[in-house]
PDB file of all heavy atoms in Angstrom:
ATOM      1  N   PRO A   1      24.666 104.013  14.945  1.00  0.00           N
ATOM      2  CA  PRO A   1      25.354 105.314  14.942  1.00  0.00           C
ATOM      3  C   PRO A   1      25.035 106.166  16.192  1.00  0.00           C
ATOM      4  O   PRO A   1      25.937 106.874  16.676  1.00  0.00           O
ATOM      5  CB  PRO A   1      24.798 105.958  13.680  1.00  0.00           C
ATOM      6  CG  PRO A   1      24.480 104.828  12.755  1.00  0.00           C
ATOM      7  CD  PRO A   1      23.980 103.763  13.663  1.00  0.00           C
ATOM      8  N   LEU A   2      23.795 106.080  16.701  1.00  0.00           N
ATOM      9  CA  LEU A   2      23.424 106.859  17.852  1.00  0.00           C
ATOM     10  C   LEU A   2      24.144 106.339  19.082  1.00  0.00           C
ATOM     11  O   LEU A   2      24.533 107.157  19.962  1.00  0.00           O
ATOM     12  CB  LEU A   2      21.916 106.748  18.054  1.00  0.00           C
ATOM     13  CG  LEU A   2      21.392 107.661  19.180  1.00  0.00           C
ATOM     14  CD1 LEU A   2      21.674 109.078  18.933  1.00  0.00           C
ATOM     15  CD2 LEU A   2      19.923 107.463  19.408  1.00  0.00           C
ATOM     16  N   ALA A   3      24.359 105.045  19.166  1.00  0.00           N
ATOM     17  CA  ALA A   3      25.080 104.470  20.344  1.00  0.00           C
ATOM     18  C   ALA A   3      26.542 104.987  20.336  1.00  0.00           C
ATOM     19  O   ALA A   3      27.150 105.176  21.413  1.00  0.00           O
ATOM     20  CB  ALA A   3      25.018 102.964  20.335  1.00  0.00           C
ATOM     21  N   ARG A   4      27.142 105.064  19.138  1.00  0.00           N
ATOM     22  CA  ARG A   4      28.538 105.488  19.073  1.00  0.00           C
ATOM     23  C   ARG A   4      28.674 106.923  19.249  1.00  0.00           C
ATOM     24  O   ARG A   4      29.604 107.386  19.952  1.00  0.00           O
ATOM     25  CB  ARG A   4      29.124 104.986  17.714  1.00  0.00           C
ATOM     26  CG  ARG A   4      29.157 103.441  17.523  1.00  0.00           C
ATOM     27  CD  ARG A   4      30.074 103.148  16.379  1.00  0.00           C
ATOM     28  NE  ARG A   4      29.596 103.746  15.133  1.00  0.00           N
ATOM     29  CZ  ARG A   4      28.772 103.170  14.230  1.00  0.00           C
ATOM     30  NH1 ARG A   4      28.261 101.938  14.482  1.00  0.00           N
ATOM     31  NH2 ARG A   4      28.454 103.820  13.141  1.00  0.00           N
ATOM     32  N   SER A   5      27.898 107.746  18.600  1.00  0.00           N
ATOM     33  CA  SER A   5      28.104 109.246  18.612  1.00  0.00           C
ATOM     34  C   SER A   5      27.200 109.991  19.563  1.00  0.00           C
ATOM     35  O   SER A   5      27.496 111.128  19.900  1.00  0.00           O
ATOM     36  CB  SER A   5      27.967 109.780  17.201  1.00  0.00           C
ATOM     37  OG  SER A   5      26.595 109.553  16.744  1.00  0.00           O
ATOM     38  N   GLY A   6      26.148 109.241  20.032  1.00  0.00           N
ATOM     39  CA  GLY A   6      25.197 109.885  20.911  1.00  0.00           C
ATOM     40  C   GLY A   6      25.848 110.550  22.211  1.00  0.00           C
ATOM     41  O   GLY A   6      25.513 111.671  22.537  1.00  0.00           O
ATOM     42  N   PRO A   7      26.690 109.802  22.902  1.00  0.00           N
ATOM     43  CA  PRO A   7      27.222 110.415  24.135  1.00  0.00           C
ATOM     44  C   PRO A   7      28.075 111.679  23.918  1.00  0.00           C
ATOM     45  O   PRO A   7      27.891 112.588  24.651  1.00  0.00           O
ATOM     46  CB  PRO A   7      28.172 109.269  24.596  1.00  0.00           C
ATOM     47  CG  PRO A   7      27.532 107.962  24.162  1.00  0.00           C
ATOM     48  CD  PRO A   7      27.012 108.393  22.789  1.00  0.00           C
ATOM     49  N   ALA A   8      28.769 111.692  22.791  1.00  0.00           N
ATOM     50  CA  ALA A   8      29.512 112.894  22.489  1.00  0.00           C
ATOM     51  C   ALA A   8      28.532 114.154  22.170  1.00  0.00           C
ATOM     52  O   ALA A   8      28.840 115.214  22.574  1.00  0.00           O
ATOM     53  CB  ALA A   8      30.455 112.639  21.351  1.00  0.00           C
ATOM     54  N   LEU A   9      27.499 113.772  21.413  1.00  0.00           N
ATOM     55  CA  LEU A   9      26.584 114.793  21.043  1.00  0.00           C
ATOM     56  C   LEU A   9      25.823 115.363  22.279  1.00  0.00           C
ATOM     57  O   LEU A   9      25.527 116.508  22.375  1.00  0.00           O
ATOM     58  CB  LEU A   9      25.535 114.350  19.968  1.00  0.00           C
ATOM     59  CG  LEU A   9      26.129 114.016  18.611  1.00  0.00           C
ATOM     60  CD1 LEU A   9      25.088 113.356  17.711  1.00  0.00           C
ATOM     61  CD2 LEU A   9      26.619 115.350  18.000  1.00  0.00           C
ATOM     62  N   VAL A  10      25.402 114.414  23.178  1.00  0.00           N
ATOM     63  CA  VAL A  10      24.773 114.823  24.416  1.00  0.00           C
ATOM     64  C   VAL A  10      25.691 115.732  25.271  1.00  0.00           C
ATOM     65  O   VAL A  10      25.240 116.756  25.758  1.00  0.00           O
ATOM     66  CB  VAL A  10      24.312 113.602  25.235  1.00  0.00           C
ATOM     67  CG1 VAL A  10      23.837 114.035  26.655  1.00  0.00           C
ATOM     68  CG2 VAL A  10      23.182 112.869  24.545  1.00  0.00           C
ATOM     69  N   THR A  11      26.940 115.333  25.374  1.00  0.00           N
ATOM     70  CA  THR A  11      27.928 116.139  26.112  1.00  0.00           C
ATOM     71  C   THR A  11      28.071 117.527  25.499  1.00  0.00           C
ATOM     72  O   THR A  11      28.097 118.497  26.215  1.00  0.00           O
ATOM     73  CB  THR A  11      29.288 115.423  26.178  1.00  0.00           C
ATOM     74  OG1 THR A  11      29.107 114.159  26.782  1.00  0.00           O
ATOM     75  CG2 THR A  11      30.267 116.258  26.970  1.00  0.00           C
ATOM     76  N   LEU A  12      28.150 117.605  24.187  1.00  0.00           N
ATOM     77  CA  LEU A  12      28.348 118.836  23.545  1.00  0.00           C
ATOM     78  C   LEU A  12      27.104 119.715  23.652  1.00  0.00           C
ATOM     79  O   LEU A  12      27.229 120.961  23.866  1.00  0.00           O
ATOM     80  CB  LEU A  12      28.661 118.595  22.006  1.00  0.00           C
ATOM     81  CG  LEU A  12      28.983 119.795  21.124  1.00  0.00           C
ATOM     82  CD1 LEU A  12      30.132 120.570  21.708  1.00  0.00           C
ATOM     83  CD2 LEU A  12      29.251 119.366  19.694  1.00  0.00           C
ATOM     84  N   GLU A  13      25.924 119.088  23.575  1.00  0.00           N
ATOM     85  CA  GLU A  13      24.672 119.890  23.785  1.00  0.00           C
ATOM     86  C   GLU A  13      24.562 120.424  25.175  1.00  0.00           C
ATOM     87  O   GLU A  13      24.165 121.540  25.339  1.00  0.00           O
ATOM     88  CB  GLU A  13      23.513 118.947  23.504  1.00  0.00           C
ATOM     89  CG  GLU A  13      22.093 119.604  23.675  1.00  0.00           C
ATOM     90  CD  GLU A  13      21.874 120.730  22.692  1.00  0.00           C
ATOM     91  OE1 GLU A  13      22.591 120.780  21.684  1.00  0.00           O
ATOM     92  OE2 GLU A  13      20.971 121.532  22.939  1.00  0.00           O
ATOM     93  N   LEU A  14      24.965 119.631  26.203  1.00  0.00           N
ATOM     94  CA  LEU A  14      24.926 120.154  27.592  1.00  0.00           C
ATOM     95  C   LEU A  14      25.899 121.304  27.744  1.00  0.00           C
ATOM     96  O   LEU A  14      25.597 122.274  28.468  1.00  0.00           O
ATOM     97  CB  LEU A  14      25.283 118.997  28.571  1.00  0.00           C
ATOM     98  CG  LEU A  14      24.192 117.897  28.652  1.00  0.00           C
ATOM     99  CD1 LEU A  14      24.708 116.784  29.528  1.00  0.00           C
ATOM    100  CD2 LEU A  14      22.845 118.466  29.250  1.00  0.00           C
ATOM    101  N   ALA A  15      27.054 121.129  27.171  1.00  0.00           N
ATOM    102  CA  ALA A  15      28.104 122.262  27.248  1.00  0.00           C
ATOM    103  C   ALA A  15      27.575 123.530  26.529  1.00  0.00           C
ATOM    104  O   ALA A  15      27.742 124.666  27.064  1.00  0.00           O
ATOM    105  CB  ALA A  15      29.355 121.789  26.592  1.00  0.00           C
ATOM    106  N   ALA A  16      26.926 123.338  25.356  1.00  0.00           N
ATOM    107  CA  ALA A  16      26.399 124.541  24.615  1.00  0.00           C
ATOM    108  C   ALA A  16      25.254 125.169  25.437  1.00  0.00           C
ATOM    109  O   ALA A  16      25.127 126.385  25.432  1.00  0.00           O
ATOM    110  CB  ALA A  16      25.941 124.096  23.299  1.00  0.00           C
ATOM    111  N   THR A  17      24.437 124.300  26.116  1.00  0.00           N
ATOM    112  CA  THR A  17      23.368 124.830  26.912  1.00  0.00           C
ATOM    113  C   THR A  17      23.871 125.668  28.103  1.00  0.00           C
ATOM    114  O   THR A  17      23.376 126.774  28.366  1.00  0.00           O
ATOM    115  CB  THR A  17      22.451 123.678  27.391  1.00  0.00           C
ATOM    116  OG1 THR A  17      21.913 122.992  26.284  1.00  0.00           O
ATOM    117  CG2 THR A  17      21.360 124.196  28.276  1.00  0.00           C
ATOM    118  N   VAL A  18      24.909 125.140  28.806  1.00  0.00           N
ATOM    119  CA  VAL A  18      25.489 125.860  29.877  1.00  0.00           C
ATOM    120  C   VAL A  18      26.089 127.223  29.416  1.00  0.00           C
ATOM    121  O   VAL A  18      25.877 128.220  30.020  1.00  0.00           O
ATOM    122  CB  VAL A  18      26.548 125.047  30.596  1.00  0.00           C
ATOM    123  CG1 VAL A  18      27.374 125.838  31.614  1.00  0.00           C
ATOM    124  CG2 VAL A  18      25.978 123.758  31.243  1.00  0.00           C
ATOM    125  N   TRP A  19      26.779 127.171  28.270  1.00  0.00           N
ATOM    126  CA  TRP A  19      27.349 128.344  27.700  1.00  0.00           C
ATOM    127  C   TRP A  19      26.219 129.372  27.375  1.00  0.00           C
ATOM    128  O   TRP A  19      26.345 130.541  27.642  1.00  0.00           O
ATOM    129  CB  TRP A  19      28.134 128.001  26.399  1.00  0.00           C
ATOM    130  CG  TRP A  19      28.816 129.155  25.767  1.00  0.00           C
ATOM    131  CD1 TRP A  19      28.890 130.433  26.241  1.00  0.00           C
ATOM    132  CD2 TRP A  19      29.479 129.118  24.508  1.00  0.00           C
ATOM    133  NE1 TRP A  19      29.584 131.261  25.281  1.00  0.00           N
ATOM    134  CE2 TRP A  19      29.960 130.434  24.193  1.00  0.00           C
ATOM    135  CE3 TRP A  19      29.686 128.140  23.535  1.00  0.00           C
ATOM    136  CZ2 TRP A  19      30.663 130.716  23.084  1.00  0.00           C
ATOM    137  CZ3 TRP A  19      30.375 128.455  22.417  1.00  0.00           C
ATOM    138  CH2 TRP A  19      30.835 129.758  22.182  1.00  0.00           C
ATOM    139  N   THR A  20      25.130 128.881  26.724  1.00  0.00           N
ATOM    140  CA  THR A  20      24.022 129.778  26.352  1.00  0.00           C
ATOM    141  C   THR A  20      23.406 130.434  27.613  1.00  0.00           C
ATOM    142  O   THR A  20      23.169 131.596  27.620  1.00  0.00           O
ATOM    143  CB  THR A  20      22.942 128.984  25.616  1.00  0.00           C
ATOM    144  OG1 THR A  20      23.541 128.365  24.413  1.00  0.00           O
ATOM    145  CG2 THR A  20      21.725 129.867  25.241  1.00  0.00           C
ATOM    146  N   LEU A  21      23.197 129.629  28.674  1.00  0.00           N
ATOM    147  CA  LEU A  21      22.580 130.215  29.895  1.00  0.00           C
ATOM    148  C   LEU A  21      23.486 131.130  30.600  1.00  0.00           C
ATOM    149  O   LEU A  21      23.018 132.175  31.103  1.00  0.00           O
ATOM    150  CB  LEU A  21      22.244 129.000  30.803  1.00  0.00           C
ATOM    151  CG  LEU A  21      21.164 128.083  30.385  1.00  0.00           C
ATOM    152  CD1 LEU A  21      21.057 126.886  31.404  1.00  0.00           C
ATOM    153  CD2 LEU A  21      19.792 128.784  30.184  1.00  0.00           C
ATOM    154  N   ALA A  22      24.782 130.861  30.533  1.00  0.00           N
ATOM    155  CA  ALA A  22      25.772 131.836  31.109  1.00  0.00           C
ATOM    156  C   ALA A  22      25.809 133.161  30.356  1.00  0.00           C
ATOM    157  O   ALA A  22      25.904 134.257  30.884  1.00  0.00           O
ATOM    158  CB  ALA A  22      27.156 131.187  31.197  1.00  0.00           C
ATOM    159  N   ALA A  23      25.702 133.017  29.029  1.00  0.00           N
ATOM    160  CA  ALA A  23      25.735 134.168  28.166  1.00  0.00           C
ATOM    161  C   ALA A  23      24.485 135.004  28.342  1.00  0.00           C
ATOM    162  O   ALA A  23      24.557 136.257  28.355  1.00  0.00           O
ATOM    163  CB  ALA A  23      25.826 133.732  26.659  1.00  0.00           C
ATOM    164  N   ILE A  24      23.311 134.328  28.520  1.00  0.00           N
ATOM    165  CA  ILE A  24      22.116 135.090  28.794  1.00  0.00           C
ATOM    166  C   ILE A  24      22.201 135.874  30.095  1.00  0.00           C
ATOM    167  O   ILE A  24      21.844 137.008  30.269  1.00  0.00           O
ATOM    168  CB  ILE A  24      20.889 134.184  28.810  1.00  0.00           C
ATOM    169  CG1 ILE A  24      20.573 133.619  27.427  1.00  0.00           C
ATOM    170  CG2 ILE A  24      19.653 134.892  29.338  1.00  0.00           C
ATOM    171  CD1 ILE A  24      19.567 132.492  27.342  1.00  0.00           C
ATOM    172  N   ALA A  25      22.691 135.162  31.113  1.00  0.00           N
ATOM    173  CA  ALA A  25      22.936 135.837  32.481  1.00  0.00           C
ATOM    174  C   ALA A  25      23.882 136.985  32.372  1.00  0.00           C
ATOM    175  O   ALA A  25      23.529 138.108  32.992  1.00  0.00           O
ATOM    176  CB  ALA A  25      23.438 134.782  33.456  1.00  0.00           C
ATOM    177  N   ALA A  26      24.938 136.852  31.594  1.00  0.00           N
ATOM    178  CA  ALA A  26      25.870 137.971  31.465  1.00  0.00           C
ATOM    179  C   ALA A  26      25.249 139.117  30.704  1.00  0.00           C
ATOM    180  O   ALA A  26      25.415 140.308  31.046  1.00  0.00           O
ATOM    181  CB  ALA A  26      27.067 137.438  30.622  1.00  0.00           C
ATOM    182  N   LEU A  27      24.423 138.781  29.698  1.00  0.00           N
ATOM    183  CA  LEU A  27      23.685 139.919  28.982  1.00  0.00           C
ATOM    184  C   LEU A  27      22.740 140.630  29.863  1.00  0.00           C
ATOM    185  O   LEU A  27      22.682 141.890  29.788  1.00  0.00           O
ATOM    186  CB  LEU A  27      23.010 139.304  27.740  1.00  0.00           C
ATOM    187  CG  LEU A  27      22.348 140.226  26.746  1.00  0.00           C
ATOM    188  CD1 LEU A  27      23.413 141.066  26.047  1.00  0.00           C
ATOM    189  CD2 LEU A  27      21.536 139.450  25.765  1.00  0.00           C
ATOM    190  N   GLU A  28      22.025 139.913  30.635  1.00  0.00           N
ATOM    191  CA  GLU A  28      21.014 140.565  31.524  1.00  0.00           C
ATOM    192  C   GLU A  28      21.710 141.368  32.637  1.00  0.00           C
ATOM    193  O   GLU A  28      21.102 142.245  33.167  1.00  0.00           O
ATOM    194  CB  GLU A  28      20.103 139.478  32.141  1.00  0.00           C
ATOM    195  CG  GLU A  28      19.146 138.881  31.111  1.00  0.00           C
ATOM    196  CD  GLU A  28      18.299 137.795  31.675  1.00  0.00           C
ATOM    197  OE1 GLU A  28      18.587 137.324  32.873  1.00  0.00           O
ATOM    198  OE2 GLU A  28      17.316 137.353  30.952  1.00  0.00           O
ATOM    199  N   ALA A  29      22.972 140.948  32.919  1.00  0.00           N
ATOM    200  CA  ALA A  29      23.721 141.702  33.976  1.00  0.00           C
ATOM    201  C   ALA A  29      24.426 142.942  33.379  1.00  0.00           C
ATOM    202  O   ALA A  29      25.123 143.646  34.133  1.00  0.00           O
ATOM    203  CB  ALA A  29      24.716 140.814  34.657  1.00  0.00           C
ATOM    204  N   GLY A  30      24.248 143.144  32.103  1.00  0.00           N
ATOM    205  CA  GLY A  30      24.903 144.306  31.436  1.00  0.00           C
ATOM    206  C   GLY A  30      26.179 144.183  30.833  1.00  0.00           C
ATOM    207  O   GLY A  30      26.812 145.087  30.376  1.00  0.00           O
ATOM    208  N   HIS A  31      26.593 142.911  30.650  1.00  0.00           N
ATOM    209  CA  HIS A  31      27.844 142.570  29.979  1.00  0.00           C
ATOM    210  C   HIS A  31      27.569 142.364  28.546  1.00  0.00           C
ATOM    211  O   HIS A  31      26.456 142.555  28.008  1.00  0.00           O
ATOM    212  CB  HIS A  31      28.508 141.394  30.664  1.00  0.00           C
ATOM    213  CG  HIS A  31      28.770 141.553  32.086  1.00  0.00           C
ATOM    214  ND1 HIS A  31      29.706 142.485  32.641  1.00  0.00           N
ATOM    215  CD2 HIS A  31      28.335 140.929  33.186  1.00  0.00           C
ATOM    216  CE1 HIS A  31      29.773 142.452  33.907  1.00  0.00           C
ATOM    217  NE2 HIS A  31      28.842 141.492  34.315  1.00  0.00           N
ATOM    218  N   ASP A  32      28.692 141.908  27.747  1.00  0.00           N
ATOM    219  CA  ASP A  32      28.550 141.866  26.265  1.00  0.00           C
ATOM    220  C   ASP A  32      27.887 140.621  25.772  1.00  0.00           C
ATOM    221  O   ASP A  32      27.669 140.450  24.531  1.00  0.00           O
ATOM    222  CB  ASP A  32      29.913 142.058  25.646  1.00  0.00           C
ATOM    223  CG  ASP A  32      30.926 140.897  26.011  1.00  0.00           C
ATOM    224  OD1 ASP A  32      30.482 139.983  26.784  1.00  0.00           O
ATOM    225  OD2 ASP A  32      31.997 140.913  25.602  1.00  0.00           O
ATOM    226  N   GLY A  33      27.517 139.687  26.611  1.00  0.00           N
ATOM    227  CA  GLY A  33      26.789 138.511  26.190  1.00  0.00           C
ATOM    228  C   GLY A  33      27.636 137.254  26.001  1.00  0.00           C
ATOM    229  O   GLY A  33      27.057 136.151  25.806  1.00  0.00           O
ATOM    230  N   TRP A  34      28.944 137.354  26.070  1.00  0.00           N
ATOM    231  CA  TRP A  34      29.829 136.202  25.989  1.00  0.00           C
ATOM    232  C   TRP A  34      29.519 135.291  24.803  1.00  0.00           C
ATOM    233  O   TRP A  34      29.510 134.108  24.959  1.00  0.00           O
ATOM    234  CB  TRP A  34      29.679 135.402  27.314  1.00  0.00           C
ATOM    235  CG  TRP A  34      30.123 136.147  28.520  1.00  0.00           C
ATOM    236  CD1 TRP A  34      30.714 137.315  28.614  1.00  0.00           C
ATOM    237  CD2 TRP A  34      30.098 135.633  29.867  1.00  0.00           C
ATOM    238  NE1 TRP A  34      30.922 137.686  29.896  1.00  0.00           N
ATOM    239  CE2 TRP A  34      30.604 136.618  30.697  1.00  0.00           C
ATOM    240  CE3 TRP A  34      29.613 134.467  30.456  1.00  0.00           C
ATOM    241  CZ2 TRP A  34      30.642 136.520  32.114  1.00  0.00           C
ATOM    242  CZ3 TRP A  34      29.630 134.327  31.860  1.00  0.00           C
ATOM    243  CH2 TRP A  34      30.161 135.294  32.635  1.00  0.00           C
ATOM    244  N   GLY A  35      29.379 135.846  23.673  1.00  0.00           N
ATOM    245  CA  GLY A  35      29.200 135.029  22.476  1.00  0.00           C
ATOM    246  C   GLY A  35      27.831 134.272  22.475  1.00  0.00           C
ATOM    247  O   GLY A  35      27.736 133.159  22.042  1.00  0.00           O
ATOM    248  N   LEU A  36      26.765 134.978  22.882  1.00  0.00           N
ATOM    249  CA  LEU A  36      25.471 134.369  22.961  1.00  0.00           C
ATOM    250  C   LEU A  36      25.030 133.694  21.712  1.00  0.00           C
ATOM    251  O   LEU A  36      24.559 132.567  21.633  1.00  0.00           O
ATOM    252  CB  LEU A  36      24.426 135.392  23.412  1.00  0.00           C
ATOM    253  CG  LEU A  36      22.960 135.003  23.302  1.00  0.00           C
ATOM    254  CD1 LEU A  36      22.680 133.815  24.307  1.00  0.00           C
ATOM    255  CD2 LEU A  36      22.077 136.211  23.653  1.00  0.00           C
ATOM    256  N   GLY A  37      25.209 134.410  20.551  1.00  0.00           N
ATOM    257  CA  GLY A  37      24.779 133.919  19.279  1.00  0.00           C
ATOM    258  C   GLY A  37      25.493 132.637  18.847  1.00  0.00           C
ATOM    259  O   GLY A  37      24.903 131.687  18.343  1.00  0.00           O
ATOM    260  N   VAL A  38      26.791 132.601  19.113  1.00  0.00           N
ATOM    261  CA  VAL A  38      27.602 131.422  18.755  1.00  0.00           C
ATOM    262  C   VAL A  38      27.164 130.274  19.622  1.00  0.00           C
ATOM    263  O   VAL A  38      26.910 129.123  19.182  1.00  0.00           O
ATOM    264  CB  VAL A  38      29.121 131.676  19.036  1.00  0.00           C
ATOM    265  CG1 VAL A  38      29.942 130.424  18.734  1.00  0.00           C
ATOM    266  CG2 VAL A  38      29.591 132.841  18.120  1.00  0.00           C
TER     267      VAL A  38
END
């Protein structure tokens, strides 16, 4: 199962991490956070 679904999960995790980091940067810059919690 990990061989079949692992690549998709890794890709989704990397995308979520980039989104989280961008949201943190936006929040620290005084913006609304870009859905940080989501």
Side-chain angles (χ1 to χ4, degrees):
L2 185 61
R4 296 195 301 268
S5 61
L9 291 172
V10 170
T11 301
L12 186 57
E13 178 65 17
L14 291 173
T17 298
V18 171
W19 181 8
T20 300
L21 294 175
I24 292 172
L27 187 65
E28 292 179 347
H31 301 296
D32 64 0
W34 296 357
L36 170 63
V38 177

